[in-house]
Amino acid sequence: CTSIVGEDSKGNMYHARNLDFGLFLGWDVQNDTWMVSQLLRPLIINVNYTKGGQLQYKTVTFVGFVGVITGIKPNSFSISINERFGANGGYIGLFEWFLNINRNQAWTTFLARDVFENDNMDFDGVIKTLTNTPIIAPVYYIVAGPEKLQGAVVTRDRAKTVDVWTLGTNDTWFLAETNYDHWKKPLIVDDRITPCNRCMNKLGHEKMSFEGLFNVLSSKPVLNKLTVYTALMELKTGKLETYIQYCPTPCDPF
Amino acid sequence: SVLAKYEEICEQAKYPPDPKTSFVPTYVVNLDLPPSQRWVEISKIYQKPLAALVTYIKEFALEFSPKLQKIIDLIDNKLGKLADSLPAPYGEEIKGIANATNIELGELVLYNIFYEVFTL
C-alpha cells in the first residue's frame, strides 16, 4: 500500500492511497496478475453511511468487509490503513483474543470505523484514539484533517505508539507512507517510497490535486501488480473518488 | 515478462482513467437499520463474486496442502462463534452478510479479520 497526505499551496488538504493486496496467494496466468487481487477488484465499492437520512461518513471497502481501511468524514478527518509487519505481529493478539486471554485490544480496522461512528471526533481526537488504544496487530494509521498541516502517520505496535510523524516537520508539505517505518530504509526489492517521494516532489506543492495525486499513484512501482484501487480524498469538501487499478506488464509484482 | 525492465517515470496524463475499466459504484448503508440488515441488499448483489473469492482461497489452501482441510473445517465449524465476541455492531453486521449470501459465517469472520491474520 501507499498512502499520501498533503496540502496544496493554498493549504487545502488531500489524502490519497493505493491499496495493494493479494501477495503470494496464487498467480493469474491469463491476466498476468495476482489471483486474489483479481478476485477483489469486482468487490470494490464506495459506501456512504447515513443516519437520519444524513451522510455521516464515506468509505471504500470490499463487499463483505465491515471495517474501515479507507474513509473520510467531510470537513472532519480521513483515515487510511497500511499494513505494518513486525516481530510482535498480529498472531499474538489473535491468540489472546481466541483464547479469551485479553480482549481489551481493538481490531485495527474496526477501531478505524469506531472513530467514524463517534459524532464528536475531530483530527486531534482521532490521533489521540488511534495512538492510545491497544490493538491486535501492528499498523500504520495515516490521518488527515481539513486544516492546514493536519496530516500525520501513526506508527503502531500492538501495545503502544512507536512514532507520530506530522505534516510540517522539516517544512514538509506532504507525507508518504508505504509499509516500512519512515525512519528506516525499505527492502531493496520493495522500494516504492523513493519513486513516490520523487514523483511528489516533481509534482510540487502548486499542482497538488486529485489529478496530480492520481498520476503519482499510477507511476510504477508505486503502482504494481498488487494495486487494486486508488482512492482520492479532499478533506474540506469530503469529495471521494475511487478507481480500480491494473498495472500493465511489465510491472513489479509487488 | 512481468519482471521485464521498464522506464521509471512519473506519470502525467493518467487522470481521469477510463471509466470502462476503473468505475467503482457507490452504495448507501443506513445506520438506522439493525446491524444485521445494513448490508443485506449489497451482499445479495455481490453474492457470486464474494463466494468466488472465498471458494478460491479454500481451493488455494487445499492445493498448497490437502492437510489444510482440517483448518478449513475448523474455520467453518468454530470461527463463526467468534462473531459473538466481536465488538458491536460488527459481529451482527457480519452475521447479516452470512445470512444474505449463504457463505459460512466462519469464512466471513476470517475475511473480516484478514488484516490481523495476514500479519502472520
Side-chain angles (χ1 to χ4, degrees), chain A residues 24 30 46 80 89 102 125 130 135 149 154 165 226-227 241 245 250 252-253:
Chain A
F24 299 139
Q30 269 190 333
N46 295 320
S80 63
N102 176 12
L130 298 182
I135 50 177
L149 295 178
V154 178
W165 184 31
L226 289 170
T227 309
E241 291 182 8
Q245 285 274 31
D252 284 11

Side-chain angles (χ1 to χ4, degrees), chain B residues 58-77:
Chain B
K58 278 197 281 190
E59 287 173 356
F60 178 79
L62 289 174
E63 262 184 47
F64 190 72
S65 168
K67 288 179 183 172
L68 289 173
Q69 183 63 53
K70 281 183 186 170
I71 302 282
I72 293 170
D73 292 341
L74 199 69
I75 290 165
D76 286 349
N77 298 324

Side-chain angles (χ1 to χ4, degrees), chain A residues 25 52 91 113-114 138 199 241, chain B residues 10 15 32 90 93 115 120:
Chain A
L25 295 172
Y91 64 96
R113 192 167 149 199
D114 283 345
C199 291
E241 291 182 8
Chain B
C10 295
Y15 183 88
D32 295 320
Y90 311 118
E93 289 187 3
Y115 174 83
L120 284 165

Side-chain angles (χ1 to χ4, degrees), chain B residues 1 6 17 30 37 52 68 97:
Chain B
S1 64
Y6 58 85
N30 181 356
Q37 296 299 309
L68 289 173
I97 296 166

Side-chain angles (χ1 to χ4, degrees), chain A residues 67-150:
Chain A
V68 168
I69 300 172
T70 310
I72 183 166
K73 196 170 216 177
N75 203 27
S76 201
F77 62 88
S78 59
I79 300 174
S80 63
I81 288 181
N82 285 15
E83 192 152 18
R84 180 171 187 251
F85 301 98
N88 186 0
Y91 64 96
I92 298 170
L94 276 171
F95 284 122
E96 285 178 354
W97 189 283
F98 287 145
L99 302 175
N100 203 3
I101 295 167
N102 176 12
R103 288 188 174 167
N104 290 319
Q105 46 189 336
W107 298 85
T108 46
T109 62
F110 295 159
L111 178 63
R113 192 167 149 199
D114 283 345
V115 295
F116 280 104
E117 294 273 330
N118 187 328
D119 292 337
N120 301 316
M121 277 287 173
D122 58 6
F123 175 78
D124 293 329
V126 171
I127 295 288
K128 199 174 169 187
T129 303
L130 298 182
T131 308
N132 295 333
T133 310
I135 50 177
I136 287 176
V139 71
Y140 299 105
Y141 286 114
I142 299 92
V143 187
E147 304 301 327
K148 197 171 163 49
L149 295 178
Q150 284 189 329

